[in-house]
Amino acid sequence: MSIALITGASRGLGRSIALHLAAAGHDVILTYNSRKTEAAEVVARIEGSGRKAVALSLDVADHKSFPDFGERVRAALAETWGRGDFDFLVNNAGIGINAPFAETTEEQFDLLLNIHFKGVFFLTQRLLPLIKDGGRIVNVSSGLARFSLPGFAAYAAMKGAVEVLTRYQAQELGPRRIAVNTVAPGAIETDFGGGMVRDNADANRMIASQTALGRVGLPDDIGGAVAALLSDGCRWLNGQRVEVSGGIYL
């Protein structure tokens, strides 16, 4: 029995990842920031499928809270599973800010930095003592780190940093046999960026027209991919960027 910790799993991609991992036979610790009710609903879904799940609050932008969060994870592991470690960490939590490069404010930049890069860096560092030797880490990036669309310079730069970090983590955590990979979603129908891909029919059609498989992505496309990446068949995959985009902008 494996335990996965997924940040930002009360909705969107994180919710799908949590449900797919539970369906694959894993138990889940999921985090939420403000959506406690939605997180409880995900826990109920997972428990209804016969797996165990715990929801913990976490603001990934509040780095000073990480020591306390680590202790809450430790307590949850002991109380729910009788264990002192977990197997998989999925760094998924994030927000989207669409602002032209010339108009991006320092406040916007710092918020994206704190959540998408500094948060991933120091939360993973804090949780390392709790990750089982031979475990795995998945960092969620974005297709925007490969192709460029106006308004996402700061966001994409943070994701690019995460992709570099992934390779260094894979190298430095190798002695513990911890594999680290990046999943880079393409355009997905969620509330990211104000739900632009999901709710704007023109944007949806434009993106679909530029995608080899002829449609935009759905959350389950990413949830299924992460579950596959954390399956036994992918244990030898390490230090890689896996784009899950249906072949956009090839």
Side-chain angles (χ1 to χ4, degrees):
M1 177 267 299
S2 298
I3 304 168
L5 192 159
I6 307 158
T7 64
S10 63
R11 57 181 176 148
L13 301 187
R15 177 180 182 275
S16 180
I17 292 168
L19 294 176
H20 275 82
L21 285 174
H26 308 293
D27 291 347
V28 175
I29 299 173
L30 61 99
T31 80
Y32 64 93
N33 186 5
S34 59
R35 297 175 180 263
K36 185 175 182 179
T37 300
E38 289 91 333
E41 291 170 354
V42 178
V43 168
R45 283 275 307 271
I46 293 172
E47 290 178 339
S49 72
R51 306 309 312 172
K52 294 180 181 179
V54 172
L56 301 176
S57 62
L58 173 67
D59 179 358
V60 293
D62 182 8
H63 311 131
K64 292 182 180 179
S65 72
F66 291 173
D68 172 70
F69 177 72
E71 290 307 310
R72 287 190 286 126
V73 171
R74 189 186 301 275
L77 287 168
E79 293 169 9
T80 305
W81 289 278
R83 284 180 55 177
D85 57 17
F86 63 92
D87 303 89
F88 309 138
L89 171 62
V90 182
N91 285 305
N92 165 76
I95 63 168
I97 295 177
N98 188 316
F101 167 75
E103 299 172 16
T104 300
T105 66
E106 187 173 356
E107 290 74 18
Q108 289 173 321
F109 183 96
D110 287 345
L111 180 59
L112 289 167
L113 174 68
N114 285 334
I115 292 173
H116 287 285
F117 184 54
K118 193 173 179 181
V120 170
F121 192 107
F122 288 105
L123 180 63
T124 304
Q125 185 185 80
R126 174 60 58 175
L127 294 176
L128 273 180
L130 300 179
I131 299 175
K132 183 179 179 179
D133 287 356
R136 281 177 277 176
I137 298 171
V138 174
N139 296 322
V140 176
S141 179
S142 171
L144 290 163
R146 174 178 66 84
F147 53 83
S148 304
L149 293 176
F152 292 104
Y155 171 83
M158 306 308 166
K159 292 302 192 180
V162 165
E163 293 186 5
V164 173
L165 174 64
T166 294
R167 297 196 297 272
Y168 276 83
Q169 289 174 327
Q171 177 67 39
E172 295 193 24
L173 300 181
R176 291 184 54 190
R177 296 176 290 106
I178 295 175
V180 190
N181 294 288
T182 296
V183 164
I188 311 294
E189 288 190 359
T190 67
D191 56 7
F192 177 84
M196 178 186 69
V197 176
R198 181 190 60 205
D199 302 332
N200 186 316
D202 290 338
N204 192 297
R205 281 193 294 269
M206 184 278 292
I207 294 168
S209 73
Q210 299 298 316
T211 302
L213 293 182
R215 65 169 175 86
V216 302
L218 300 173
D220 284 346
D221 293 320
I222 307 305
V226 173
L229 188 61
L230 292 175
S231 67
D232 286 345
C234 288
R235 283 188 177 278
W236 198 237
L237 194 68
N238 192 24
Q240 301 303 305
R241 177 190 190 271
V242 180
E243 184 170 304
V244 187
S245 67
I248 191 171
Y249 298 125
L250 294 177

